[in-house]
Amino acid sequence: MTINIALLGFGTVASGVPFLLKENTEKIQQAAQENIQVAKVLVKDQAEKERLLAAGHDYHFVTNIDDILSDDTIQIVVELMGRIEPAKTFISRALEAGKHVVTANKDLLAVHGSELRELAVNNGVALYYEAAVAGGIPILRTLANSLTSDKVTRVLGVLNGTSNFMMTKMVDEGWTYDEALKTAQELGYAESDPTNDVEGIDAAYKAVILSQFAFGMTIDFEQVAHKGISGITPEDVAVAQELGYVIKLVGDIQETTSGIAAEVSPTFLPKSHPLASVNGVMNAVFVESIGIGESMYYGPGAGQKPTATSVVADIVRIVRRLNDKTVGKAFNEYSRPLQLAKPEDVVSEYYFSILAPDKTGTLLRLAEIFNSESISFKQILQAASLGDQARVVIVTHAMSKTQLENVQAKLAAAEAVEVQNTFKVLGD
Amino acid sequence: MTINIALLGFGTVASGVPFLLKENTEKIQQAAQENIQVAKVLVKDQAEKERLLAAGHDYHFVTNIDDILSDDTIQIVVELMGRIEPAKTFISRALEAGKHVVTANKDLLAVHGSELRELAVNNGVALYYEAAVAGGIPILRTLANSLTSDKVTRVLGVLNGTSNFMMTKMVDEGWTYDEALKTAQELGYAESDPTNDVEGIDAAYKAVILSQFAFGMTIDFEQVAHKGISGITPEDVAVAQELGYVIKLVGDIQETTSGIAAEVSPTFLPKSHPLASVNGVMNAVFVESIGIGESMYYGPGAGQKPTATSVVADIVRIVRRLNDKTVGKAFNEYSRPLQLAKPEDVVSEYYFSILAPDKTGTLLRLAEIFNSESISFKQILQAASLGDQARVVIVTHAMSKTQLENVQAKLAAAEAVEVQNTFKVLGD
């Protein structure tokens, strides 16, 4: 039998789907136990259709979603347009029309995932999105299928290839943020408006989805604190290296006694930590759990073929479940009521880079401020004298988010003291 | 409903199974949709039974396998005794009795896997063994479920924790092989007879199983060439570092135009390669494929809880398939006829450490020997003069196994030339 699928969109990733179906036919047929065929492809308008046909793409291109939704021979709809609309409407209508949906749309799933998942369940169809987190890394299915027996306590992820490429250049080559951004844009890794990538928004979308699979909790996008890499200076990078750390943009979801906490922030990773050597556009998800202990899943976070590999794996799974008559089960079945951690339970070491008067008593004054919040120092270093100012770098012992906020408020109020940067530090 | 399972053996790993079932009850029940209960535990004899009961283990211990096989309430048998017999007989009888089997027994599966898999299929029952390769790393299910859409071209694995612990000490601390072995034995990582770990036999077992999942081909254990770490000298380690490499024991399975080739050997890894920073007892499997490109799966290769996590994941999967009425499908469905690569198609760079007379013309003579087999040098270094002998280190450009054998024969025949070591080098 042949299973007909339709692609919504025919950009880079979408064109990787027929590539894999062709290059790997034998194995995919053996796994799916059916032939899988791209029956229709939705494109934006007549002009795009003609351009693609002229370029030699031999597909049945349509410009109206109804040509797909009303086609009873199409069982699976693959959405690869990205962004919220019209993707959300198209996916909703496909689910309502009884079609199974595969998508790589992390923005949409992070913001409207609950609604779409409910729609899928109500219509007895599948909604799979392995490619939405860390592109080619099969992390969602691994969490859903293999870590069912394990209890995850923390997930740390290098989840955005663009910012990781930039951080790698800033660390290895000493580039400034602006130099790294310029090159990332030239290479096509960063968009002209790079906000989503460099400010941690894209990684926060992925953290929302990871929270569901790793902890069974649906956290709102707004509940994921995010801070980007644009404020990181060459001095921060240099001091990090001196102290034995590598700075990366890290998504961090952990379960404390009171609930889960999720955030994306530049993080000092000990050089020996497996995430510290994840370089360039590569992604990795590091999982701490009571059973396995520590495991890491590493691979390309984006790109045509890696993303298409995850998409086709989802398609194959749906076809198998169609054959087994078990289709319609949720992609992730682990579900618990959301409980957010209290700030006093979320604990970490922190790095402070502080400008203060270069005179006797300054260090004492800083020590008193931290001490008043019961925060002790792990490492301290007077980095450089800048005229009558000195840059003081402090790495603290573990403190809670509450302590962090309090000490930040006191430092902000202190006369002639300027906090340049505060970053999370992962303990050894 | 409650699903009854039986454990064969109650050693370290086996006792991790009830630990996970208890610590993680809620999540496991949600995933399995049933309660899972250890109904019986097979131990060796009455003495062991009494010892375990006295130690407070509250299980129904039996000393006769028939007490389990004839018990119709037991649906899943979990074999964690290890070694070939009586494990093979017990598993065979359990499969014949219509019971599903989970095992972590890599020796058994590598040598008698085909027979056992056939028995499972013929009896319509499941035979799962995620824990048999790389303990806590869910690599088999990931290859079977997520990489279905991808075509794997090469698998490189740090597959033995004991030898990797030793190599890490030899590289990072400059220990000799004997020092590393002694410490590994003191820490309980190595057995008193360490042959299986240090000579690459254990890793070769795992390579056999990986070949089935990654390439769909069942290779015989005897077809996996294996070479261990016992011959590696501190000089080899030092030169490797000088040239930018880390030596590790690596399992390597690749598909060439003529078929697959599998071997386990000490390998020079470029320091930037993700496998190069897999240290201590950790394992990792690095996969090259046409879709994802490069991905790596990292975690503990052994240990009570990691291995038990994989075992319980298998149990949960079986219970789910029982509910879905889809049980009895092979763990790995990817299958192609075995084709072994021709030696001339298996290509790599190589490291040679050679002792030769410290006099004019020696290098020229060596160069002539390599040149006569059309092998060119990538790096050459006269490492040290030892009286009237010199140690010459050569890293070649890529050559085939055929060329390797030919040049080794010529070097062996050459007067006053002694090859101390030859190791594979992974190109950048």
Side-chain angles (χ1 to χ4, degrees), chain B residues 86-107:
Chain B
K88 180 166 181 265
T89 301
F90 290 176
I91 290 177
S92 301
R93 292 189 57 203
L95 296 170
E96 284 163 351
K99 301 195 187 301
H100 309 288
V101 171
V102 174
T103 173
N105 195 325
K106 57 193 161 296
D107 315 29

Side-chain angles (χ1 to χ4, degrees), chain A residues 23-24 27 30 136 147 149-151 291-292 294-296 298 300 305-306 309 320 324 329 333-335, chain B residues 23-24 27 30 136 147 149-151 291-292 294-296 298 300 305-306 309 320 324 329 333-335:
Chain A
E23 278 297 304
N24 211 12
K27 186 177 175 188
Q30 206 173 75
L147 274 78
S149 52
D150 204 348
K151 186 187 281 179
I292 300 179
E294 297 186 343
S295 55
M296 190 172 81
Y298 164 96
K305 291 176 194 169
T309 303
R320 277 308 294 269
D324 290 346
K329 298 214 158 99
E333 296 182 305
Y334 183 29
S335 176
Chain B
E23 278 297 305
N24 212 11
K27 188 177 175 189
Q30 207 173 76
L147 274 77
S149 52
D150 204 348
K151 186 187 282 180
I292 300 179
E294 297 185 344
S295 55
M296 189 173 80
Y298 164 96
K305 291 177 193 169
T309 303
R320 277 308 295 270
D324 290 347
K329 298 215 158 99
E333 297 182 304
Y334 183 29
S335 177

Side-chain angles (χ1 to χ4, degrees), chain B residues 3-8 68-69 73-79 90-103 119-121 123-129 314-323 325-329:
Chain B
I3 299 285
N4 282 332
I5 69 172
L7 306 180
L8 309 189
I68 289 167
L69 298 182
T73 71
I74 292 172
Q75 293 186 266
I76 302 171
V77 169
V78 181
E79 184 274 312
F90 290 176
I91 290 177
S92 301
R93 292 189 57 203
L95 296 170
E96 284 163 351
K99 301 195 187 301
H100 309 288
V101 171
V102 174
T103 173
L119 205 53
V121 169
N123 286 282
V125 291
L127 172 64
Y128 288 177
Y129 40 92
D314 280 350
I315 296 171
V316 168
R317 180 101 323 229
I318 290 174
V319 175
R320 277 308 295 270
R321 292 203 157 182
L322 282 169
N323 278 335
K325 306 197 191 324
T326 58
V327 84
K329 298 215 158 99

Side-chain angles (χ1 to χ4, degrees), chain A residues 19-20 23-24 26-28 30-31 33 130 136-138 141-152 213-214 274 277 282 286 290-300 305-306 308-310 312-313 316-317 320-321 324 326 329 333-336, chain B residues 19-20 23-24 26-28 30-31 33 130 136-138 141-152 213-214 274 277 282 286 290-300 305-306 308-310 312-313 316-317 320-321 324 326 329 333-336:
Chain A
F19 164 83
L20 275 175
E23 278 297 304
N24 211 12
E26 186 196 339
K27 186 177 175 188
I28 291 172
Q30 206 173 75
Q33 300 180 337
E130 175 66 79
I137 310 177
R141 188 155 281 119
T142 299
L143 286 168
N145 285 354
S146 295
L147 274 78
T148 39
S149 52
D150 204 348
K151 186 187 281 179
V152 176
F213 283 73
S277 37
M282 299 306 267
F286 184 84
I290 64 162
I292 300 179
E294 297 186 343
S295 55
M296 190 172 81
Y297 310 87
Y298 164 96
K305 291 176 194 169
T309 303
S310 290
V312 176
V316 168
R317 180 102 322 229
R320 277 308 294 269
R321 292 202 157 183
D324 290 346
T326 58
K329 298 214 158 99
E333 296 182 305
Y334 183 29
S335 176
R336 295 186 292 164
Chain B
F19 164 83
L20 275 175
E23 278 297 305
N24 212 11
E26 187 196 339
K27 188 177 175 189
I28 291 172
Q30 207 173 76
Q33 299 181 338
E130 176 66 80
I137 311 175
R141 188 155 282 118
T142 299
L143 286 167
N145 285 354
S146 294
L147 274 77
T148 38
S149 52
D150 204 348
K151 186 187 282 180
V152 176
F213 282 75
S277 38
M282 299 305 270
F286 184 85
I290 65 163
I292 300 179
E294 297 185 344
S295 55
M296 189 173 80
Y297 310 87
Y298 164 96
K305 291 177 193 169
T309 303
S310 290
V312 177
V316 168
R317 180 101 323 229
R320 277 308 295 270
R321 292 203 157 182
D324 290 347
T326 58
K329 298 215 158 99
E333 297 182 304
Y334 183 29
S335 177
R336 294 187 292 164

Side-chain angles (χ1 to χ4, degrees), chain A residues 88-157:
Chain A
K88 179 165 180 267
T89 302
F90 290 177
I91 289 178
S92 302
R93 291 189 56 204
L95 295 170
E96 285 162 350
K99 301 195 188 301
H100 309 287
V101 171
V102 174
T103 172
N105 195 325
K106 58 193 160 296
D107 316 29
L108 179 58
L109 285 158
V111 181
H112 301 285
S114 298
E115 182 187 337
L116 295 174
R117 284 191 296 273
E118 201 183 320
L119 206 52
V121 169
N122 290 345
N123 286 281
V125 291
L127 172 64
Y128 288 176
Y129 40 93
E130 175 66 79
V133 176
I137 310 177
I139 183 64
L140 299 183
R141 188 155 281 119
T142 299
L143 286 168
N145 285 354
S146 295
L147 274 78
T148 39
S149 52
D150 204 348
K151 186 187 281 179
V152 176
T153 52
R154 192 173 193 178
V155 174
L156 293 161

